Amino acid sequence: MLNGLRVFELSAPATMLAGQMLADLGADVVVVEPPGGAAGRRMGPFLDGRIGLDRSLSWHALNRNKRSLTLDLDGVDGQDLLHSFVRTADAVIEAAPGRCAHLADGGLVHCVVRPFSAAGPKSGYAWTDRTLVAAAGVPLATGDADRAPLFLPLPQAMLEAGCEVAIGVLAALAARTRDGEGQRVEVSMRAAAMMSAFSLPYYADTPERPPRRGQAKRSVAGVDLPNFLPCRDGHVQVSIAFGGFGGITARMAAWAVADGRLDAAIGQVDWTRFPGEDVALAASQLRQLVEGVRSAVAARTKDEVGVAARTHGFFAAPLMDMADIAAFDQYRERGLWLRQPLVDGVTVDAPAHVVRSDSFATQLRHPAPRLSEHTQELLAELGLSAGEIEALFCHHIV
């Protein structure tokens, strides 16, 4: 799909996903690293718990289909070589502060990813992925109000930014094709992370009351309605709703009654008109419903609750961990997985296929590259002789 397109990625954690998405679409993506290895190679977890520059599972997950070039960009010789390489490229992706912005004047697409916008008041702030996610407002809706917010176990802002970088580069390439001019793209990791919070209303400088954390629970007639219930092998999400969705709750109640977990009288409640005017009665009925459903769910596995929900027509879904996702038949039947080698003869099924159609599917052209794996062939493509390449190596330039 992107065959013939060449991208140089000056590797940083926030550039890795973007480079891989473009590489998976067919672009020749060259990841440029310092001779000691990119920061992504030091991101855990590591295969079998053993550290090593080629053992980072994060590196393998985000660098498939790229070639690796090592250059000492702190020296003049390395910078000159980079500029020679970039003259053969269509786009360069790098993290702030950036070395190649001026090259857009020569027709290149240049994309820089920053923690905060360069024009904003936080442009000089120190940061971590967690502070970026916090600044994006996402923790406003996570966890309960009596404890700390919940964060994802993955670097969310970094990965959100990678998606936006790939989109920005493709849009800039389309503009360059139309106008014939180089393009500059800037992506803020904080702004990218805000995409996760766009379902939340923003209340800055308005008289509205801001939302409270603890939105995983809501209270009706003084009864807390949990969205998540424990089952035999994990948790499931359930939805107890009223009004127009009351018929779905009625089917859930009928299931719990048939299972012997709920009094039959509760199964006859008109949940479309709930809670009604008698708040005390409504609270009693709702507590019984919640406890009956809780008991029925606790006796089953995630799969069994899912089957019950589909059979009886109510809202429930398993909370899937990575083992569940790997074993999920639907993903496998849709061809989500791509067999990818790591090191030491280990292979894994990795999620792939950013785009899949009758005419295109992601192919594994290269596993994630070993450190400097393609440096010699790339320098040879640039026209350097074997002796010149050896001299660069001996002087720690590559």
Side-chain angles (χ1 to χ4, degrees):
M1 188 175 290
L2 298 182
N3 292 347
L5 186 76
R6 174 172 273 195
V7 178
F8 277 81
E9 176 201 337
L10 276 59
S11 184
T15 66
M16 295 192 298
L17 178 58
Q20 178 165 287
M21 292 174 74
L22 298 174
D24 281 352
L25 293 174
D28 177 21
V29 176
V30 177
V31 58
V32 182
E33 309 179 63
R41 293 184 181 275
R42 291 174 167 81
M43 291 177 61
F46 296 93
L47 180 62
D48 297 330
R50 291 171 48 205
I51 62 172
L53 293 176
D54 292 322
R55 302 186 68 85
S56 164
L57 297 177
S58 296
W59 177 262
H60 285 280
L62 298 171
N63 288 278
R64 161 182 76 234
N65 283 332
K66 303 177 188 179
R67 295 194 286 170
S68 169
L69 166 70
T70 52
L71 282 178
D72 176 15
L73 297 181
D74 291 329
V76 173
D77 292 327
Q79 293 173 19
D80 287 345
L81 281 170
L82 176 64
H83 291 167
S84 296
F85 276 117
V86 166
R87 283 195 287 269
T88 71
D90 298 283
V92 170
I93 300 170
E94 61 178 331
R99 301 172 181 267
C100 300
H102 62 286
L103 297 176
D105 298 330
L108 187 78
V109 168
H110 175 259
C111 180
V112 62
V113 55
R114 303 178 180 278
F116 297 97
S117 171
K122 297 181 180 180
S123 60
Y125 277 29
W127 62 277
T128 64
D129 194 89
R130 181 164 290 196
T131 59
L132 293 175
V133 172
V138 176
L140 184 67
T142 63
D144 294 318
D146 61 346
R147 64 200 71 185
L150 296 174
F151 287 84
L152 290 178
L154 297 172
Q156 182 178 353
M158 179 189 94
L159 296 176
E160 298 268 10
C163 296
E164 299 300 324
V165 168
I167 292 169
V169 168
L170 291 174
L173 288 167
R176 190 185 70 165
T177 299
R178 180 193 63 207
D179 301 334
E181 297 181 357
Q183 303 287 324
R184 290 186 174 89
V185 179
E186 178 179 304
V187 172
S188 159
M189 295 169 67
R190 184 249 185 173
M194 287 177 66
M195 300 300 176
S196 301
F198 270 4
S199 60
L200 298 174
Y202 282 85
Y203 293 84
D205 301 321
T206 75
E208 301 295 329
R209 292 180 60 189
R212 296 178 297 107
R213 283 199 305 111
Q215 295 179 64
K217 291 188 227 175
R218 61 194 176 94
S219 180
V220 176
V223 179
D224 283 342
L225 298 184
N227 272 356
F228 306 99
L229 293 174
C231 61
R232 281 171 47 194
D233 58 350
H235 289 78
V236 296
Q237 182 176 12
V238 297
S239 295
I240 299 174
F242 314 108
F245 293 100
I248 296 170
T249 299
R251 293 194 287 273
M252 181 186 295
W255 167 67
V257 169
D259 197 51
R261 311 282 175 170
L262 184 63
D263 189 279
I266 305 301
Q268 302 303 313
V269 173
D270 185 356
W271 301 103
T272 64
R273 298 179 181 275
F274 191 83
E277 296 182 1
D278 190 338
V279 177
L281 175 62
S284 174
Q285 293 169 332
L286 193 52
R287 286 192 190 94
Q288 291 180 70
L289 174 66
V290 169
E291 291 310 311
V293 171
R294 187 190 305 275
S295 176
V297 166
R300 289 169 167 81
T301 65
K302 287 185 280 192
D303 284 346
E304 289 168 346
V305 174
V307 169
R310 293 191 295 274
T311 302
H312 297 276
F314 59 87
F315 288 151
L319 297 186
M320 301 174 73
D321 58 24
M322 293 308 297
D324 296 325
I325 292 171
F328 193 40
D329 288 341
Q330 187 176 135
Y331 288 154
R332 193 164 297 280
E333 290 167 8
R334 290 184 178 186
L336 173 69
W337 306 107
L338 188 68
R339 197 69 179 167
Q340 181 173 328
L342 303 181
V343 292
D344 296 344
V346 176
T347 60
V348 296
D349 286 334
H353 306 300
V354 175
V355 174
R356 190 177 180 91
S357 68
D358 292 340
S359 59
F360 179 83
T362 300
Q363 303 295 321
L364 182 64
R365 306 193 312 276
H366 313 286
R370 300 187 305 276
L371 180 62
S372 199
E373 180 176 355
H374 305 98
T375 296
Q376 186 155 345
E377 71 180 58
L378 286 161
L379 290 170
E381 289 175 13
L382 201 60
L384 275 70
S385 68
E388 289 171 321
I389 295 171
E390 183 176 344
L392 290 170
F393 178 72
C394 291
H395 288 86
H396 305 280
I397 298 167
V398 301

